[in-house]
Amino acid sequence: MLTHYMDLGWRSIRKTPVLSALMVMAISIGIGITLISLNVFQLMSHNPAGERSSVLHMTQLWSQGPDSWEEYSANLTYQDTMNLRQSDIPVRSVASFRSGGAIHAEGSDAEPEMRSIRVTDSEFFAMFSVPFLYGGSWDKSVDMEAAHVVVINEDLNRTFLGGGNNVGKIIYLDVTPYQIVGIIDHWMPRPKYYDVTNGSMNFAESIYVPFSLTPHEEFPVWGNTSGWQFEPLITYNDRLLSEKTWIQFWAELPDEDAQMQFSQWLTSYVEQQQALGRFTDNTRTSWMRLLDVAEYLTDSEVVPEDNRIMIGLSALFLAVCLVNILGLLLTKFLKRAPEVGVRRAIGASRRQIFLQHMVEVSLIGLLGGVIGLVWAWFGLTTLADHLGMEEALGRLDPSMWIMTPSIALGAAMLAGMYPAWVICRTQPSVYLKSQ
Amino acid sequence: MLSMKKINKVFKTDLVETHALRDFDLQVEEGEFVAVTGPSGSGKTTFLNIAGLLEGFTQGEYTLDGVNVSRLNDNQAARIRNEKIGFIFQGFNLIPDLNLAENVEVPLRYRGFNSAERKRRVEQALEQVGLGARMKHLPSQLSGGQQQRVAIARALAGEPRFLLADEPTGNLDSLMARQVMELLEEINRNGTTIIMVTHDPELARRAQRNIQIVDGQVCDFTLYQGGDEPQAARA
Amino acid sequence: MFTIKPVLSSLMRSRTGPLLLLLQIVLSVAIVANAGFIIQERLALMQRSSGIAEQSVLSFSLYNFGEKVNLPQQLKRDLEILRNIPGIKAATSTNMLPLSGSGWSDRFIDGPDPETAKSTPGFAWYLGGEQMVDTLGVNVIEGRNFRADELNHSITDSGMKALMSAPLAKEVFGEESAVGQIMYQGSDNQIEIIGVVEVLQGAWVDSDQFDYSVIQNIELNENRSNQFMVRADRRDVPALEETIKQALRAENPDRVIRNFNTLRELKDMSYAFHAVMAGMLSIMIILLLVITSLGLSGMVMFNIQRRTKQIGTRRALGARKRDIVGMFLVENWLICFSGGLLGGLLAMELGSQLMTLFSLPMMGWQWPAMTVAGLLVITTVAVLLPARKAALISPAIATRTV
């Protein structure tokens, strides 16, 4: 019977091409706009950490003095970072910050390029599930005893070294030679959940160097450096000794026990520092907090407000389209009342009439959905073009393949329910007398 | 076959109460051909709608084919219409978008027959009305008489217990009307009960039995047998 | 001429159609009013004056990776080279680029004791040479610019001089003149305010303190990485990128020179989200109006078909064509007005929800009012066409039994 209803629906759609086109257009535009908003939202609100989201915790400390910032800084000071790194607490953790420099390789034709660099610890790759093509991270001992080793990504490997397994070869960061110990595959988490300082849609770095090199190499900071008191940074050492915050610190805390222990350890660390005259804001009862990835992304407001407004407005827009279609469907169905009268007289039940019309409405919805998907794709491409975010925005999220038909069918059925109900309650006798 | 006892149908509005049928009694036996006549507004249409289970009624008892159908819900009524009753309308009421075969097929689909069974019955029914060669035509390509024959085929395809015809020849010229009438008579001879509403006395005279409805009541009861003159009798 | 009462009563009887129209108009008003308001707000943001000759200022960054480079000397040389390139009218190094979305911000305090001193609001903190004012093209309205011989090279030097943007000066000093005031950073660093510039925006277009800026006489010269801004005639700007690269590479090849952008380009990038938002909302409004008017026309047409006989009877009873058209128009206006009223209330409610949720300013009543007025015009056109068709219905229809 379903195929029969589909056949009838399709005939009916073709019979009133203008009205049908109007309805399909209205629903497709509504769906298109909704899909665009949802797609952007999906992209922004995505949590690339997956199941590791609740395992990875960003450590934040209230190291500022009283009457300064009203919120936690996302970053830590160098001194706190070093104290955490050197502690004996058995927790896998990494410090990191974004830097940059001129990259070149000996014997390469490629001109030196400015690239962003992540200065971090050996566990970074394991903690954030970074895929290696060749080699691996540097030895854990390098985290304490600095060495000029580097992990680069495949793109850089191809540009400067012609691709292939180049572990053991040398590339230059500014004028300093670094030995390659690992080459990672294409890795581009969006949002860049381990550090959204430079924008959540910022690219992952192409070069990774040991954090232990920081005091020797004086890596420039390409992220935010925030200070709550006047502390001029004349030399790099000023920076290392200052209360300025600029380093992200992530800890792997797989269960509540681990979180509890780590919190306790941090609390006693803060007490110890208070004895040394730091952490002077006495208005507080706690000077530390741990945010898992999802909490960190929410706290960093990676989903722009505009996006939420758009979702609200597009939902309303879709509602207008639905009301519109509802009216048109009612028009169309009521015109068909005599035919329905005949069908009822010769034995169709209300349910059968209702189903017949719902199937027709669903067809319209699906057609609208398909065209809506085209609108959405077109809209997103244009949008990405305007925002210079082709790679991030200019594609449909895989979830849209489920989202589109559900929205299309749901919307159409919502709009079709009332007209179909009205028409299935047609009194057959009324329409049989006249022509 | 069909038995109506003290059927009352009252239409109510805020201001007036109209008795469309008043203590309406009627018995129709299996295989009868009954013509129902009456002036306009007498309750003919209401009778037809009630007999065809298209409308409910206010009081009384209606038994069809041994089953009490006085208080059926919508679904049950639809089911009985589909299986036991065939409708023929003045305006043919074919579905213009469907071709002849598809039109005849409509009630069979609602009955849930499989496609082979549907095909067999559609062909048989159209054959019977002499339109077997035109299955793929649209109603608009046919003359009025042909359209009415398709409507009859549609009514017959479900092999109903009785046919309800509402002015079946009202929209036809006399030649076509005669053909349609002959077809109905043939169907009746094959054993199908027919109730026909008409205001054409000429046509009514060809039925075995004539009923007149006046002011919602069966007022005149005439039995035609051979060439006898009509005899008035109280029902 | 138009009698409302019969129209009203016929509306009351056939509820569904008018109700749907009403609903549609309510939602449309709510959407269009709010979207229009947001668009207007975004456009206003984008139209604020930056105080800068945006299209005539080219910015770029330079990174010295050479091993044995004397950074202060190099900067001095680079600036000389830039200033000697034909077409360049002024050039300066800078710690940050206006309108770029990234930069330095700071606060001053008004006394030497950090415990008791009052802090200024945060401001964009521009550090650059004596040519920064001319490069940006900002207008010094009070006091003076600093001179080349007053330049510092480190933020702890003494003899700090600063220019403030007028909005900041007004916020900090009120009606008092800013020129001659002494401000502090920490307890040791004194800064003398020597001038006020009319308008100078900072780096963050969404900041509440976007108009608060300070230019200080510090030419940082110890960094490997530097940013520059040069001022040229608008027509000369496109050719400058190559000229500058060649000139600076000829001086010293060991550097990366990149990120050439005019300040207008930076501004456009910074406002891209707002522009896209305004664009999307505008498209939404247009589509909405199209859909609403098409839907309305469709429904009116259906109404006419349903009421053909009634219209025919009216005509037979002496209604003129314009009376029929009028009947439909009055019907539409009634729905539009009541829908507009309800929609306006909904819009205001939505607006206040948006305000509390998203720190948007409160929408004025003008927005819903304007929307209703606009819808009135559009729906009138949408109704007029089918209504004129209705007026052509022949009075003879009435006598036929349909």
Side-chain angles (χ1 to χ4, degrees), chain B residues 218-235:
Chain B
V218 177
C219 163
D220 203 355
F221 188 84
T222 317
L223 195 64
Y224 266 90
Q225 277 165 343
D228 288 358
E229 284 300 301
Q231 294 173 347
R234 269 332 250 184

mmCIF file of all heavy atoms in Angstrom, chain B residues 218-235:
data_model
loop_
_atom_site.group_PDB
_atom_site.id
_atom_site.type_symbol
_atom_site.label_atom_id
_atom_site.label_comp_id
_atom_site.label_asym_id
_atom_site.label_seq_id
_atom_site.Cartn_x
_atom_site.Cartn_y
_atom_site.Cartn_z
ATOM 1 N N VAL B 218 -42.012 6.601 4.069
ATOM 2 C CA VAL B 218 -42.386 5.806 2.905
ATOM 3 C C VAL B 218 -43.891 5.956 2.762
ATOM 4 O O VAL B 218 -44.645 5.599 3.657
ATOM 5 C CB VAL B 218 -42.018 4.326 3.107
ATOM 6 C CG1 VAL B 218 -42.486 3.517 1.910
ATOM 7 C CG2 VAL B 218 -40.533 4.196 3.294
ATOM 8 N N CYS B 219 -44.281 6.553 1.655
ATOM 9 C CA CYS B 219 -45.660 6.987 1.573
ATOM 10 C C CYS B 219 -46.455 6.125 0.606
ATOM 11 O O CYS B 219 -47.637 5.934 0.740
ATOM 12 C CB CYS B 219 -45.673 8.434 1.146
ATOM 13 S SG CYS B 219 -47.197 9.055 0.547
ATOM 14 N N ASP B 220 -45.818 5.598 -0.347
ATOM 15 C CA ASP B 220 -46.526 4.919 -1.409
ATOM 16 C C ASP B 220 -45.800 3.613 -1.705
ATOM 17 O O ASP B 220 -44.583 3.599 -1.831
ATOM 18 C CB ASP B 220 -46.516 5.828 -2.646
ATOM 19 C CG ASP B 220 -47.656 5.479 -3.555
ATOM 20 O OD1 ASP B 220 -48.372 4.504 -3.274
ATOM 21 O OD2 ASP B 220 -47.789 6.190 -4.567
ATOM 22 N N PHE B 221 -46.462 2.618 -1.831
ATOM 23 C CA PHE B 221 -45.826 1.332 -2.060
ATOM 24 C C PHE B 221 -46.456 0.693 -3.278
ATOM 25 O O PHE B 221 -47.633 0.381 -3.285
ATOM 26 C CB PHE B 221 -46.024 0.448 -0.823
ATOM 27 C CG PHE B 221 -45.248 -0.819 -0.893
ATOM 28 C CD1 PHE B 221 -43.923 -0.865 -0.510
ATOM 29 C CD2 PHE B 221 -45.862 -1.978 -1.357
ATOM 30 C CE1 PHE B 221 -43.225 -2.050 -0.572
ATOM 31 C CE2 PHE B 221 -45.146 -3.151 -1.409
ATOM 32 C CZ PHE B 221 -43.825 -3.200 -1.015
ATOM 33 N N THR B 222 -45.749 0.540 -4.354
ATOM 34 C CA THR B 222 -46.337 0.000 -5.569
ATOM 35 C C THR B 222 -45.539 -1.187 -6.059
ATOM 36 O O THR B 222 -44.321 -1.133 -6.121
ATOM 37 C CB THR B 222 -46.329 1.056 -6.686
ATOM 38 O OG1 THR B 222 -46.713 2.284 -6.123
ATOM 39 C CG2 THR B 222 -47.265 0.643 -7.786
ATOM 40 N N LEU B 223 -46.238 -2.191 -6.345
ATOM 41 C CA LEU B 223 -45.565 -3.370 -6.860
ATOM 42 C C LEU B 223 -45.961 -3.564 -8.309
ATOM 43 O O LEU B 223 -47.126 -3.633 -8.647
ATOM 44 C CB LEU B 223 -45.984 -4.591 -6.028
ATOM 45 C CG LEU B 223 -45.134 -5.827 -6.181
ATOM 46 C CD1 LEU B 223 -43.711 -5.602 -5.684
ATOM 47 C CD2 LEU B 223 -45.797 -6.973 -5.440
ATOM 48 N N TYR B 224 -45.002 -3.544 -9.139
ATOM 49 C CA TYR B 224 -45.282 -3.769 -10.557
ATOM 50 C C TYR B 224 -45.130 -5.226 -10.863
ATOM 51 O O TYR B 224 -44.104 -5.819 -10.562
ATOM 52 C CB TYR B 224 -44.271 -2.972 -11.390
ATOM 53 C CG TYR B 224 -44.789 -1.632 -11.794
ATOM 54 C CD1 TYR B 224 -44.592 -0.522 -11.003
ATOM 55 C CD2 TYR B 224 -45.505 -1.525 -12.997
ATOM 56 C CE1 TYR B 224 -45.065 0.701 -11.389
ATOM 57 C CE2 TYR B 224 -45.978 -0.288 -13.364
ATOM 58 C CZ TYR B 224 -45.758 0.815 -12.577
ATOM 59 O OH TYR B 224 -46.238 2.012 -12.965
ATOM 60 N N GLN B 225 -46.127 -5.772 -11.453
ATOM 61 C CA GLN B 225 -45.949 -7.145 -11.922
ATOM 62 C C GLN B 225 -46.520 -7.236 -13.319
ATOM 63 O O GLN B 225 -47.674 -6.960 -13.536
ATOM 64 C CB GLN B 225 -46.647 -8.126 -10.987
ATOM 65 C CG GLN B 225 -45.752 -8.446 -9.799
ATOM 66 C CD GLN B 225 -46.495 -9.107 -8.669
ATOM 67 O OE1 GLN B 225 -47.721 -9.054 -8.625
ATOM 68 N NE2 GLN B 225 -45.769 -9.702 -7.759
ATOM 69 N N GLY B 226 -45.682 -7.554 -14.240
ATOM 70 C CA GLY B 226 -46.119 -7.590 -15.620
ATOM 71 C C GLY B 226 -46.658 -6.242 -16.040
ATOM 72 O O GLY B 226 -46.078 -5.211 -15.744
ATOM 73 N N GLY B 227 -47.761 -6.178 -16.726
ATOM 74 C CA GLY B 227 -48.297 -4.925 -17.237
ATOM 75 C C GLY B 227 -49.384 -4.342 -16.346
ATOM 76 O O GLY B 227 -50.108 -3.466 -16.782
ATOM 77 N N ASP B 228 -49.535 -4.855 -15.117
ATOM 78 C CA ASP B 228 -50.607 -4.357 -14.251
ATOM 79 C C ASP B 228 -50.494 -2.876 -13.950
ATOM 80 O O ASP B 228 -49.412 -2.321 -13.932
ATOM 81 C CB ASP B 228 -50.599 -5.116 -12.920
ATOM 82 C CG ASP B 228 -51.098 -6.536 -13.115
ATOM 83 O OD1 ASP B 228 -51.466 -6.852 -14.265
ATOM 84 O OD2 ASP B 228 -51.082 -7.296 -12.140
ATOM 85 N N GLU B 229 -51.647 -2.259 -13.706
ATOM 86 C CA GLU B 229 -51.653 -0.857 -13.284
ATOM 87 C C GLU B 229 -51.151 -0.781 -11.850
ATOM 88 O O GLU B 229 -51.330 -1.712 -11.054
ATOM 89 C CB GLU B 229 -53.087 -0.291 -13.361
ATOM 90 C CG GLU B 229 -53.557 0.017 -14.759
ATOM 91 C CD GLU B 229 -52.685 1.056 -15.447
ATOM 92 O OE1 GLU B 229 -52.569 2.186 -14.927
ATOM 93 O OE2 GLU B 229 -52.069 0.730 -16.507
ATOM 94 N N PRO B 230 -50.507 0.332 -11.508
ATOM 95 C CA PRO B 230 -50.035 0.479 -10.128
ATOM 96 C C PRO B 230 -51.201 0.458 -9.138
ATOM 97 O O PRO B 230 -52.256 0.995 -9.394
ATOM 98 C CB PRO B 230 -49.337 1.828 -10.130
ATOM 99 C CG PRO B 230 -49.553 2.442 -11.458
ATOM 100 C CD PRO B 230 -50.172 1.443 -12.361
ATOM 101 N N GLN B 231 -50.953 -0.170 -7.999
ATOM 102 C CA GLN B 231 -51.970 -0.187 -6.942
ATOM 103 C C GLN B 231 -51.392 0.517 -5.718
ATOM 104 O O GLN B 231 -50.290 0.211 -5.298
ATOM 105 C CB GLN B 231 -52.302 -1.629 -6.552
ATOM 106 C CG GLN B 231 -52.970 -2.381 -7.694
ATOM 107 C CD GLN B 231 -53.132 -3.846 -7.361
ATOM 108 O OE1 GLN B 231 -52.536 -4.348 -6.403
ATOM 109 N NE2 GLN B 231 -53.926 -4.540 -8.157
ATOM 110 N N ALA B 232 -52.145 1.414 -5.210
ATOM 111 C CA ALA B 232 -51.676 2.133 -4.025
ATOM 112 C C ALA B 232 -51.849 1.277 -2.788
ATOM 113 O O ALA B 232 -52.824 0.552 -2.666
ATOM 114 C CB ALA B 232 -52.433 3.434 -3.860
ATOM 115 N N ALA B 233 -50.932 1.333 -1.947
ATOM 116 C CA ALA B 233 -51.071 0.586 -0.682
ATOM 117 C C ALA B 233 -50.286 1.298 0.412
ATOM 118 O O ALA B 233 -49.282 1.942 0.135
ATOM 119 C CB ALA B 233 -50.555 -0.826 -0.858
ATOM 120 N N ARG B 234 -50.764 1.199 1.588
ATOM 121 C CA ARG B 234 -50.058 1.801 2.732
ATOM 122 C C ARG B 234 -48.970 0.839 3.199
ATOM 123 O O ARG B 234 -49.228 -0.355 3.331
ATOM 124 C CB ARG B 234 -51.023 1.984 3.896
ATOM 125 C CG ARG B 234 -51.815 3.275 4.090
ATOM 126 C CD ARG B 234 -51.333 4.500 3.637
ATOM 127 N NE ARG B 234 -50.883 5.563 4.486
ATOM 128 C CZ ARG B 234 -50.520 6.717 3.918
ATOM 129 N NH1 ARG B 234 -50.522 6.868 2.616
ATOM 130 N NH2 ARG B 234 -50.130 7.703 4.663
ATOM 131 N N ALA B 235 -47.814 1.333 3.466
ATOM 132 C CA ALA B 235 -46.755 0.469 3.975
ATOM 133 C C ALA B 235 -46.852 0.362 5.492
ATOM 134 O O ALA B 235 -47.202 1.323 6.131
ATOM 135 C CB ALA B 235 -45.398 1.016 3.603
#
